[in-house]
Amino acid sequence: MSDMELQLHVQRPGFALDVDLRLPGQGVTTLFGPSGCGKTTLLRAVAGLERARPGRVLVRGQIWQDDTQDIWQPTHQRALGYVFQEASLFHHLSVRRNIEYGLNRTPAARRQIVLEQAVDLLGIAPLLERATATLSGGERQRVAIARALATSPRVLLMDEPLAALDMARKAEVLPYLERLPRELDMPILYVSHATDEVARLASHLVLLRDGKVQAQGDPAELMGTLDLPLAQGDAAATIVAGTVLAHDLEDHLTTIAFPGGRLQLVSTRQRPVGQAVRLRVQARDVSLTLSPQTGTSILNAVPAQVVALREDSPGQIMVALEAGTTRLLARITQRSARTLCLTPGMHVVAQVKGIALLD
């Protein structure tokens, strides 16, 4: 039996959410899709803030809703943590007292996360005595996450927690979000419409469209499937999972080994050799040649095989590639595809600028 079972039907005028999901009990399950597809409605139904009729919500052996058995637990009886787009902190309380609020509303017998653990996970020890009004947007959101964790939830629900932050604050918070599934034994349901968040965080991906599940599974596979939305348009990208081989301090270059070869990226972060990393390779940053080039500024040239081609927009073609067992995408012009005579099965070289790789 899966650790989470969600059978939810929510009917509204002009919209219906209708999903039947079996989700893993660990890691980050990302709910992805355009605005209005049902991501937040699904999260609210899991939390009991909106009632699915009919519905069934099972989280790690606990039934929170099962209409066939006439079981319904209201939100305050569900062991969950909820993080919204806005931090929604109590402004009359200090950071410490905001987190203690989460602790105090949790029965002592169910407490598994102590204040110090929540504080350490989010790196907010220096903020504890601060007034929340003095915090930056990123700091406020980290405090909100710590407060949610202080309730010792069986599941953590996160509704686009980075959407209200600028790029700098988002970059500040992301490493802490990456840390959570490594150190906490709980599932995280994470709503997003940002491909960079999917690439960085998701261990399981659910694509929603018009209230229904379009696809679900391994993020790297779904991001590289041409007939799915993540592999279309200017934001199309794929995930490269690898390990750190070396870091050049002088040139700020990190070398990553992955099943299809090696990649070098510009990075000021010095990671230990052997550390696992995930890179996001944007399709628009991948060019193709029929043979390795010399006298070029492009650092990365990876042998690959063409898997499929699809028109992406007028005059542009999306090319799906396999580099070893790793899927890559290249978004090129229609003329280039015709000039290179690209067809499935062809062997090519995928070129990627080191400065374009995103970690």
Side-chain angles (χ1 to χ4, degrees), residues 89-98 101 130-133:
L89 300 177
F90 299 118
H91 296 301
H92 64 291
L93 300 179
S94 67
V95 168
R96 179 188 296 276
R97 292 186 65 193
N98 264 275
Y101 175 86
R130 295 260 300 271
T132 58

Side-chain angles (χ1 to χ4, degrees), residues 100-112 147-153:
E100 287 175 343
Y101 175 86
L103 284 170
N104 293 336
R105 64 182 289 267
T106 306
R110 194 170 59 77
R111 293 180 189 172
Q112 296 182 351
R147 184 178 63 183
L149 291 178
T151 66
S152 296

Side-chain angles (χ1 to χ4, degrees), residues 11-28:
Q11 185 69 51
R12 294 178 183 162
F15 174 79
L17 175 74
D18 192 4
V19 299
D20 187 346
L21 290 165
R22 306 292 186 273
L23 301 176
Q26 288 182 313
V28 178

Side-chain angles (χ1 to χ4, degrees), residues 83-85 141 145 158-165 177 190-191 197:
V83 181
F84 300 88
Q85 289 186 26
Q141 202 61 299
I145 297 168
M158 308 187 82
D159 190 0
E160 299 197 63
L162 306 181
L165 304 181
L177 295 183
Y190 189 99
V191 166
E197 295 174 33

